[in-house]
Structure formats: structure tokens, C-alpha cells
Amino acid sequence: DGGITQSPKYLFRKEGQNVTLSCEQNLNHDAMYWYRQDPGQGLRLIYYSQIVNDFQKGDIAEGYSVSREKKESFPLTVTSAQKNPTAFYLCALEGAWNQPQHFGDGTRLSIL
Amino acid sequence: KQEVTQIPAALSVPEGENLVLNCSFTDSAIYNLQWFRQDPGKGLTSLLLIQSSQREQTSGRLNASLDKSSGRSTLYIAASQPGDSATYLCAGLYNTDKLIFGTGTRLQVFP
């Protein structure tokens, strides 16, 4: 989706390191979401934000943190407390029906 | 617990076949059901969304149906093409305002 950009495409984390995944949008949408996708499992919600300077935990927020200082940006930090961070991370924006509908191309995080 | 299940996990068909992908959900109090397509290493693309008051939605060769009473949705793909090869996910929206995703069906259409 041209309006939502995730970077980097691939990311490697060393033991004990925090890493930050970027999600930027130029569609002027209020709500943004972070999902984690593991092989053989459905997407699981990590955090979501419906407005600047406000965000809520999803189903699997432990070991993750977010910020929403600007409407255009919703970065996700995978902290060292997340013991199994290897996964495909997807950022999403709300669509016409006020639910996650537009997805970025994802960031694949692996452990060194 | 609200769960969404997709069977089969993988499907391989020859080009030109009409096919049906299945999605089952445990809680019939669903607001809507959405079907997505995911290409390898990519994000999700929304295909169709069916509101709880609707029975089906159509877009081109795709037709999605929703039967709340039986807890099922189907995605019908007519005259399948190799370009249809992807993983198809369904997701139900409930009163928690969160989407519950199925595990997906990986479709391969061979020439």
C-alpha cells in the first residue's frame, strides 16, 4: 500500500538489544495498529492507537512498547524482555469501516 | 473464546477450476467478516468485507458469503488463475473492536 511504509524490511536483533520498527503513513488516518504474524498462526494484535499521544495494549503487548507523538508515525520497539521476537511484524491503518484494513509490507525480525 | 478457523491450511488446484475457501467462527455475534489476500513476504490486501446484515459480497471473480447461524463464511474464486496463488485469511470483527484472524489457507494454482 503506497500510503503506509514499514522499515526496515529485514531486521536482526542481538541478545539483550532493543530494536525499533518504523511505520509511517501519509493517508491522514487516525487509527494505527501493530500485529505480529507467526507461521501457522493468525495475526495477533500487539498495540493500537486511535489518536495522537494515546495507545492501548492488544493481546500480546508484553515485551513491546510504542509511541504516537505524530499522527503519521507509530513506531514499535521490541525490547529485550520479549524472549521470542522472531516473527513478521505488520502495521495497519483503519479503513472505511473503522477497522484495520490497510497493511504495510511488514518487517521480518530475526535473532542473531 | 472467539476463534476463527480456516480449513484446509493449503490447497493446490489446476488453472481454471472454481474453488471455495472456508472460514469458521465460534461466536455468531460477529459485526462483520473480512477476507484478505497475502502474497509471500508482503502485507495483507483487503478483498471483501461482509457486514453482519449482509449475506454476500462480490468483486470480480470473487464472491464471499456469510452465514452467522452456522458460523461460516466462504470465499468463492471463479475460474482460478496462477496469479490467484497466495494465502487467504479471513478475520471477524467483534464488539471488542478487534479483528480475530484465522490462520489462513495457502492457495497454489498451477498452469
Side-chain angles (χ1 to χ4, degrees):
Chain A
D1 192 324
I4 178 170
T5 303
Q6 288 189 243
S7 63
K9 189 171 179 64
Y10 300 96
L11 188 59
F12 298 91
R13 195 191 88 169
K14 295 180 180 179
E15 199 72 31
Q17 185 182 42
N18 294 350
V19 292
T20 297
L21 285 61
S22 170
C23 180
E24 303 280 332
Q25 59 117 345
N26 61 7
L27 297 176
N28 201 36
H29 285 206
D30 289 313
M32 300 182 72
Y33 307 80
W34 273 106
Y35 286 90
R36 170 179 172 141
Q37 186 177 30
D38 294 281
Q41 297 191 39
L43 276 69
R44 293 181 290 168
L45 182 65
I46 305 173
Y47 268 97
Y48 65 103
S49 168
Q50 295 184 320
I51 197 169
V52 174
N53 292 323
D54 188 44
F55 46 82
Q56 285 78 41
K57 293 182 179 179
D59 299 319
I60 55 166
E62 185 174 351
Y64 300 97
S65 66
V66 294
S67 63
R68 188 81 187 278
E69 297 176 0
K70 301 185 301 181
K71 190 175 186 178
E72 300 79 18
S73 179
F74 190 38
L76 173 73
T77 296
V78 184
T79 74
S80 56
Q82 173 49 245
K83 298 307 179 186
N84 184 24
T86 298
F88 191 50
Y89 290 86
L90 289 162
C91 180
L93 307 180
E94 65 179 349
W97 298 283
N98 297 322
Q99 65 188 71
Q101 196 180 6
H102 304 292
F103 284 78
D105 278 344
T107 293
R108 186 165 299 281
L109 176 62
S110 303
I111 298 299
L112 284 177
Chain B
K1 182 181 177 183
Q2 295 157 342
E3 293 182 344
V4 177
T5 306
Q6 292 184 251
I7 296 174
L11 184 62
S12 183
V13 300
E15 182 177 7
E17 269 203 14
N18 302 323
L19 56 99
V20 174
L21 306 182
N22 295 299
C23 174
S24 300
F25 45 93
T26 55
D27 186 348
S28 62
I30 195 167
Y31 279 12
N32 63 50
L33 191 130
Q34 192 167 179
W35 282 92
F36 294 89
R37 168 184 173 140
Q38 185 177 30
D39 292 292
K42 296 290 188 179
L44 279 63
T45 299
S46 179
L47 297 173
L48 291 165
L49 184 146
I50 313 173
Q51 300 287 359
S52 61
S53 58
Q54 298 174 322
R55 295 284 293 182
E56 63 180 294
Q57 282 287 326
T58 298
S59 176
R61 294 183 294 108
L62 304 180
N63 175 278
S65 67
L66 176 65
D67 184 344
K68 289 179 58 177
S69 62
S70 66
R72 292 184 60 190
S73 175
T74 60
L75 179 66
Y76 176 83
I77 302 177
S80 59
Q81 303 170 357
D84 294 329
S85 298
T87 296
Y88 292 83
L89 298 103
C90 64
L93 182 71
Y94 291 89
N95 57 3
T96 54
D97 290 333
K98 289 188 292 187
L99 283 182
I100 307 296
F101 282 85
T103 53
T105 293
R106 189 172 65 254
L107 172 66
Q108 182 181 11
V109 181
F110 54 90

